[in-house]
Amino acid sequence: MNALELRNKKNVGIDSSLHSKNRSARAFRSKKEEKRYWILLISLIAMGVLFSYGLLVYNNPVPVDSPSFIPVVRRRMDALIAMIIAAVCHSLSTVTFQSITNNRIITPSLLGFESLYSTIHTSTIFFFGAGALISFSGTGPFLFQVVMMVLMSLVLYGWLLSGKYGNLQLMLLVGIVIGTGLSSVSTFMRKLLAPSEFDILQARLFGSVNNADPDYFPIVIPMVIIVALLLLANAKKLNVVALGKDVSTSFGVKHQSSIIYTLILVSVLMSISTALVGPLTFYGFLVATLSYQAAPTYDHRYIFPMALAIGFLILTGAYFLMYHVFNAQGVVSVIIEMFGGIIFLIVILRKRSL
């Protein structure tokens, strides 16, 4: 072996050792990316807190030294708590749902939560009148809606994900068919309503944090916290499940049972959010898409916090700007859904596939 071959062999050995030293199983590819992630996360949280403070105290008609100042802030606090609940539910559920389905286009709304919510309220006013819909409030009706949505999801999971022919894509297809059918039935009933009844119904079907009843918070908040903690605790396993059935099985993860368990948690979050504030179809998709761009990592332990921060910032920022800058209080959810739909179309056109 001549000197040139020895030198080349030595250089190859040095390069391979350098590459092995640079290889890492960390969540981020470099320290620079990790630093950028934390700076962005802290900045988003700070902006969300700033908008929250603005929603509570800005343009308050009562002076700060007045005894009525605190009651006004408390009323605004109810809307802020509803925003936090909606942000937690949609951000965590959408990111989780896209990970287990290995598809960043679809959202949990495909399972028919919003269609069932619409059908429940439409059938109530159609069969029992406007008075029944107005009185259809309180802890009992709220829990009834949540239970019905979760039961519908459990039927889908138990029927289409268990057994010999369990298939996740088939479950999504059946969910779309059921949601479309329920939407058609509720649309038909709405066309037969009187104009006054239709106006009352539309106010219920319009997604807004103002729909949230503070009396539900003692029930909703513990449920959301428990489910969110369960999802966060399941983040490492979700990293493996997102790699697919074959890879996760080779790592010793029970793929089918893990997916069913995760989908149950997702259905609980989506049911709570839909029953509390109403339908928000593209909000979760908007949050998830922005989170993937802001957090350059596969690790859900870092994607989840980024999604929570972005989801909270979108709601607080949109409500603050529409309420106090543009004076357009009734179009906040419309604006959010419009931007979410535009982002959805952009992603579809870029990927050119579902």
Side-chain angles (χ1 to χ4, degrees):
M1 185 178 294
N2 55 33
L4 180 61
E5 291 178 347
L6 287 173
R7 187 184 305 166
N8 291 336
K9 187 175 181 181
K10 183 177 180 181
N11 291 335
V12 170
I14 293 174
D15 292 339
S16 61
S17 63
L18 289 175
H19 284 300
S20 62
K21 290 181 180 179
N22 292 331
R23 290 173 184 171
S24 174
R26 293 167 53 86
F28 298 94
R29 289 172 294 183
S30 64
K31 289 286 187 180
K32 185 177 180 180
E33 282 190 352
E34 184 176 3
K35 182 179 179 181
R36 187 185 307 156
Y37 166 87
W38 286 112
I39 292 175
L40 181 58
L41 179 63
I42 294 173
S43 301
L44 292 174
I45 294 175
M47 292 175 63
V49 172
L50 184 62
F51 279 123
S52 302
Y53 179 77
L55 286 172
L56 292 177
V57 301
Y58 182 77
N59 201 19
N60 194 326
V62 181
V64 179
D65 56 351
S66 174
S68 301
F69 180 80
I70 298 300
V72 173
V73 172
R74 286 178 180 173
R75 289 189 61 184
R76 295 185 175 188
M77 180 67 74
D78 294 336
L80 184 61
I81 293 175
M83 293 180 198
I84 297 174
I85 294 173
V88 172
C89 292
H90 281 271
S91 58
L92 294 183
S93 60
T94 305
V95 170
T96 302
F97 190 76
Q98 291 182 351
S99 296
I100 61 178
T101 56
N102 197 20
N103 193 322
R104 293 188 175 182
I105 298 296
I106 60 179
T107 66
S109 300
L110 292 177
L111 297 179
F113 297 107
E114 297 168 0
S115 300
L116 181 59
Y117 173 84
S118 175
T119 303
I120 291 174
H121 287 273
T122 304
S123 58
T124 300
I125 194 172
F126 181 80
F127 290 108
F128 304 104
L133 181 64
I134 295 174
S135 61
F136 190 72
S137 60
T139 305
F142 174 78
L143 292 177
F144 171 77
Q145 296 176 69
V146 174
V147 170
M148 287 296 295
M149 295 178 196
V150 174
L151 285 179
M152 184 188 71
S153 303
L154 292 178
V155 170
L156 283 177
Y157 307 153
W159 173 35
L160 298 173
L161 288 182
S162 60
K164 183 178 180 181
Y165 301 102
N167 191 311
L168 184 61
Q169 306 305 322
L170 179 61
M171 183 205 71
L172 296 175
L173 180 60
V174 173
I176 293 174
V177 173
I178 293 176
T180 304
L182 291 175
S183 297
S184 300
V185 172
S186 60
T187 301
F188 173 75
M189 288 189 291
R190 284 198 295 270
K191 289 183 177 181
L192 300 179
L193 296 175
S196 57
E197 294 177 335
F198 182 80
D199 291 339
I200 296 174
L201 178 63
Q202 283 299 106
R204 286 289 186 94
L205 300 182
F206 192 74
S208 174
V209 296
N210 295 322
N211 294 337
D213 191 339
D215 294 336
Y216 304 156
F217 291 162
I219 300 175
V220 169
I221 293 176
M223 293 175 62
V224 171
I225 291 176
I226 292 173
V227 176
L229 290 177
L230 290 176
L231 281 177
L232 293 174
N234 198 42
K236 286 186 177 181
K237 185 178 290 186
L238 190 60
N239 294 338
V240 180
V241 174
L243 298 176
K245 182 177 181 180
D246 296 334
V247 176
S248 59
T249 303
S250 65
F251 277 102
V253 176
K254 295 181 180 179
H255 186 264
Q256 188 174 7
S257 60
S258 297
I259 283 185
I260 294 177
Y261 169 74
T262 306
L263 284 174
I264 291 174
L265 298 180
V266 168
S267 66
V268 173
L269 289 180
M270 286 299 298
S271 301
I272 290 174
S273 175
T274 305
L276 185 67
V277 302
L280 294 172
T281 305
F282 288 109
Y283 168 64
F285 175 82
L286 176 63
V287 172
T289 303
L290 295 178
S291 302
Y292 299 139
Q293 302 299 320
T297 177
Y298 66 90
D299 198 333
H300 289 81
R301 292 176 298 175
Y302 297 94
I303 298 177
F304 281 153
M306 183 63 72
L308 290 171
I310 291 177
F312 182 62
L313 175 61
I314 288 176
L315 283 181
T316 55
Y319 273 93
F320 179 82
L321 293 176
M322 291 301 165
Y323 270 63
H324 302 298
V325 178
F326 299 104
N327 196 23
Q329 292 89 342
V331 299
V332 178
S333 60
V334 176
I335 297 297
I336 293 175
E337 294 294 283
M338 183 186 71
F339 277 104
I342 292 174
I343 296 297
F344 178 80
L345 292 177
I346 292 174
V347 173
I348 286 286
L349 293 176
R350 283 186 175 182
K351 290 175 67 69
R352 296 185 179 180
S353 66
L354 291 175

